[in-house]
Amino acid sequence: MATHRGSGRRNVGRRAVLGGAAAVAAGAVTGGATTAWAGPVPAGASPAGPAAASAGMAGGAGTAGASAAKPVRDAALWREFTATPLAHPQIPFVGRAGYRAGSALPRRPSRGEGPRGFHTDVVRDHGARPDGSADAAPAINRAIAAAGERGGGTVTIPAGTYRVDDVIRIGHSDVVVRGAGSGATKLYATRSLTELIGVYGSRYGGDKSSWSWAGGLIWLCPEDRWASLTDAIRAREWPFEGWTGNRRDAWRTLATPAPARRGDRTVTVPDARNLRPGQLVLLRLSDDPGHTLLQHMAGDGEGARAYAWADKTKLTSYVPYEWPVRITGVRGRRITLERPLPLDLRPAWDPRLTTLATPLTGCGVEGLTLEAVEKPQAPHLLDQGYNGVAFQCAYDCWADDVTVRHVDNGFGLISASACTLRRTKVEGRGPHHPYYCREGSHDNLIEDFAVVARTTPAPPGTQLHGINVEGLSSYNVWSRGRMEMGTFDSHRGMPFACVRTDITVNNNGVHGGDASAGPLFGARFTHWNIRVVNERAGLMRIDGLAPYSATVGISEVREFGQIDVPDFTGDLRTRLEAYGSPESVRPANLYGACACAEA
């Protein structure tokens, strides 16, 4: 199996960053075919601006008409950011988001070149039928298990249609499942997760179905962790889904780092004997009685200090904050990390480097479509689990050229970090969550993605969200996207330091989250170069909503539909630039430029 080593990024001086901003912007604007939006303007769009934007985007992500009409200039916030890229008050440093700190995905073999390492074919070697006439799930799972038992390899699913009556499970590291392309290889899923595993209630009570936000019919999760989760579900012991087991107690301390600042790449520990280069560890930060950790996640402003944290029981259940990171160097007592620290380390928060559940690493799903049997979307929070692809306790994994169709929930990141979802698409009868990111998922990259307009009307009592992030998830990026429906969703749980950039959206979804989950946003959310074709403001323009946030190069929008008020009082310390002028600022794509901005 082909592997990719190294970061794939080189550090560039700040003057070079500014000098190359125009080139970065041009590449980002024209880079993603999925960002193009051809076809009619969605219902609700104004006949002027959005129509012109849609027409301009038919040939690529950029809007030539907008660029010609409005001079392109370096954003003032961008110039400011390059001076302090690791500690800017409004813009998070996300240049190392994604697989192997933002590296290119492993190279696929060219035509006529066989996969490297162990390789097995589900038709030739395991008897799967590519005509949909028999259940192919046993053959596919046997092939995946065979690769896993050999320490990794490639499972090929040739062109055809494969009926699958069970979950496709990837539970060993370094296994790649590769179809012949999303337009050639189709897995046709006939049963829901409720049928296959059982009813999954919520650990927070009520009659909700947790399949409304968990699990997938293609499920990437370490074998032991998957078994513990599904055993608990069958026993109706609704588990915690995160990095440290069903009861959050499967960890031990490796070292206690000294105080450090957000953006530091090195930490000092009193004893480094349990740490080594290449090791994946979990940084844990616990809150104190005054909830100063939660205040810090919200920006340490006066509004955060005045906020009533104590009764937000769902939010406080997410703490300790848990952030997985790979160690890249150990020199005496100094430990170098793969990514900069996402938050300060203060003694009051009992910072620890600990173990975590053995994660799934180096796994990918490529070149296929997962189509569920088409059934009407279920009422809100009662999904049966016709879900797409789920990454759970996964690190340095990926999906590439994958489409899901007729699903309840599309692509899920559940306690998943450092994963890249590239060239993914959600289409068909309409989902609940097209993309969701929850339970402490960090540093993920979703790029060149599409949420396609639904093919059937939404049944009464259903809800559409969008690109969702919640549960103290941080430093996630959505880049170069086309959203023909949905919204930039937060389910409360105070996610922070996430970026949406270079996206066209018909903003017709709603956000979720109950009051006990606390604020919609923590600090350093950034929306950069966002084209809103129906002019709806909700969750797009966030300068009046999210503390210490930046809204740059967004279409002119107006309030209608769901209208939210800020969770925090006082000055939110937000920034707004190039309002009403998407495509008028450089860089056009914040992630692509940010990847070069680390000094």
Side-chain angles (χ1 to χ4, degrees):
M1 179 180 67
T3 59
H4 186 94
R5 299 184 183 277
S7 69
R9 306 282 185 198
R10 59 186 180 90
N11 293 338
V12 180
R14 291 170 185 157
R15 283 180 294 178
V17 169
L18 287 174
V24 171
V29 168
T30 59
T34 61
T35 313
W37 188 334
V41 181
S46 76
S54 182
M57 289 186 64
T63 52
S67 298
K70 296 175 181 175
V72 177
R73 66 188 188 281
D74 288 340
L77 262 169
W78 170 249
R79 294 194 299 270
E80 186 181 292
F81 173 75
T82 58
T84 57
L86 303 182
H88 193 274
Q90 282 87 17
I91 301 174
F93 176 75
V94 292
R96 289 176 170 259
Y99 170 80
R100 289 193 174 271
S103 297
L105 297 181
R107 184 180 67 85
R108 297 189 194 185
S110 58
R111 188 178 297 275
E113 178 186 2
R116 299 177 184 177
F118 178 79
H119 170 234
T120 187
D121 184 295
V122 301
V123 174
R124 181 193 64 211
D125 301 325
H126 298 276
R129 295 184 181 179
D131 59 3
S133 63
D135 179 16
I140 296 171
N141 283 325
R142 282 197 304 271
I144 293 170
E149 289 163 2
R150 287 164 175 79
T154 302
V155 174
T156 298
I157 307 179
T161 296
Y162 300 82
R163 196 185 90 213
V164 291
D165 300 341
D166 200 356
V167 179
I168 303 303
R169 305 183 304 278
I170 302 176
H172 294 87
S173 292
D174 298 315
V175 173
V176 177
V177 175
R178 179 174 293 147
S182 59
T185 295
K186 180 170 75 174
L187 306 186
Y188 180 68
T190 63
R191 304 175 71 191
S192 70
L193 293 170
T194 298
E195 295 172 283
L196 295 169
I197 296 172
V199 171
Y200 188 3
S202 170
R203 68 177 185 264
Y204 298 104
D207 59 356
K208 302 171 184 176
S209 167
S210 285
W211 298 128
S212 301
W213 55 76
L217 292 169
I218 298 177
W219 200 333
L220 293 87
C221 182
E223 188 174 54
D224 290 346
R225 190 74 185 95
W226 191 85
S228 71
L229 286 165
T230 54
D231 286 350
I233 292 166
R234 291 185 175 104
R236 296 180 174 256
E237 295 173 350
W238 318 138
F240 179 76
E241 300 160 274
W243 294 102
T244 51
N246 294 352
R247 295 179 175 83
R248 301 194 76 175
D249 57 359
W251 59 275
R252 62 184 178 85
T253 300
L254 300 172
T256 302
R261 299 298 299 272
R262 173 171 64 91
D264 288 350
R265 282 280 307 280
T266 61
V267 297
T268 302
V269 299
D271 185 344
R273 284 178 295 179
N274 292 323
L275 305 175
R276 65 184 186 279
Q279 183 180 9
L280 193 62
V281 297
L282 193 69
L283 171 67
R284 287 171 57 92
L285 296 176
S286 300
D287 207 3
D288 61 6
H291 298 294
T292 60
L293 176 60
L294 292 174
Q295 293 172 29
H296 181 54
M297 293 175 183
D300 286 318
E302 56 271 23
R305 290 191 293 272
Y307 187 79
W309 298 100
D311 64 344
K312 308 303 185 294
T313 53
K314 188 170 184 179
L315 172 63
T316 55
S317 77
Y318 297 143
V319 182
Y321 172 78
E322 297 173 332
W323 180 65
V325 65
R326 199 175 298 281
I327 294 173
T328 58
V330 177
R331 188 170 184 176
R333 296 187 300 115
R334 291 180 63 80
I335 310 302
T336 303
L337 306 176
E338 185 175 37
R339 292 176 171 82
L341 287 175
L343 296 164
D344 291 354
L345 306 187
R346 301 178 188 174
W349 304 331
D350 189 23
R352 302 182 186 212
L353 298 177
T354 75
T355 59
L356 67 162
T358 301
L360 196 71
T361 62
C363 290
V365 178
E366 302 176 349
L368 58 83
T369 288
L370 173 67
E371 180 178 319
V373 59
E374 185 172 1
K375 293 189 175 182
Q377 184 180 347
H380 190 226
L381 302 179
L382 297 178
D383 295 349
Q384 295 300 295
Y386 291 100
N387 295 346
V389 184
F391 293 78
Q392 188 156 10
C393 296
Y395 193 95
D396 281 340
C397 294
W398 71 91
D400 185 19
D401 183 26
V402 176
T403 295
V404 297
R405 184 179 298 132
H406 303 322
V407 292
D408 292 336
N409 301 282
F411 292 88
L413 296 159
I414 311 116
S415 294
S417 292
C419 295
T420 293
L421 276 58
R422 176 175 173 263
R423 299 192 299 166
T424 56
K425 185 189 300 184
V426 181
E427 63 183 24
R429 51 87 160 158
H432 178 197
H433 297 93
Y435 291 83
Y436 61 98
C437 181
R438 52 183 293 271
E439 295 288 348
S441 291
H442 315 285
D443 303 301
N444 297 293
L445 171 63
I446 300 94
E447 64 179 353
D448 299 312
F449 68 95
V451 181
V452 181
R454 65 190 314 138
T455 54
T456 60
T462 61
Q463 282 193 13
L464 165 67
H465 298 308
I467 50 176
N468 159 250
V469 59
E470 61 179 292
L472 300 184
S473 297
S474 62
Y475 292 83
N476 299 291
V477 178
W478 291 261
S479 171
R480 297 199 306 262
R482 180 183 96 241
M483 296 177 63
E484 297 177 6
M485 63 179 187
T487 193
F488 290 0
D489 177 31
S490 167
H491 270 28
R492 300 194 176 273
M494 203 172 66
F496 65 95
C498 294
V499 167
R500 284 91 171 233
T501 183
D502 193 10
I503 298 171
T504 299
V505 53
N506 179 39
N507 182 26
N508 63 357
V510 298
H511 77 67
D514 59 48
S516 68
L520 280 169
F521 301 100
R524 296 184 305 284
F525 255 81
T526 300
H527 291 176
W528 189 289
N529 189 13
I530 306 298
R531 301 165 290 269
V532 186
V533 303
N534 63 342
E535 299 181 349
R536 180 170 176 252
L539 301 179
M540 300 289 125
R541 179 176 170 176
I542 56 174
D543 58 294
L545 194 60
Y548 290 87
S549 63
T551 305
V552 179
I554 187 172
S555 303
E556 188 169 340
V557 291
R558 54 195 172 89
E559 295 280 8
F560 64 91
Q562 179 172 282
I563 300 173
D564 290 292
V565 297
D567 293 291
F568 302 104
T569 57
D571 186 356
L572 295 180
R573 310 287 177 88
T574 62
R575 305 286 291 275
L576 177 68
E577 184 176 352
Y579 175 57
S581 302
E583 309 290 356
S584 69
V585 295
R586 288 189 302 250
N589 184 288
L590 181 62
Y591 169 72
C594 188
C596 300
E598 185 181 5

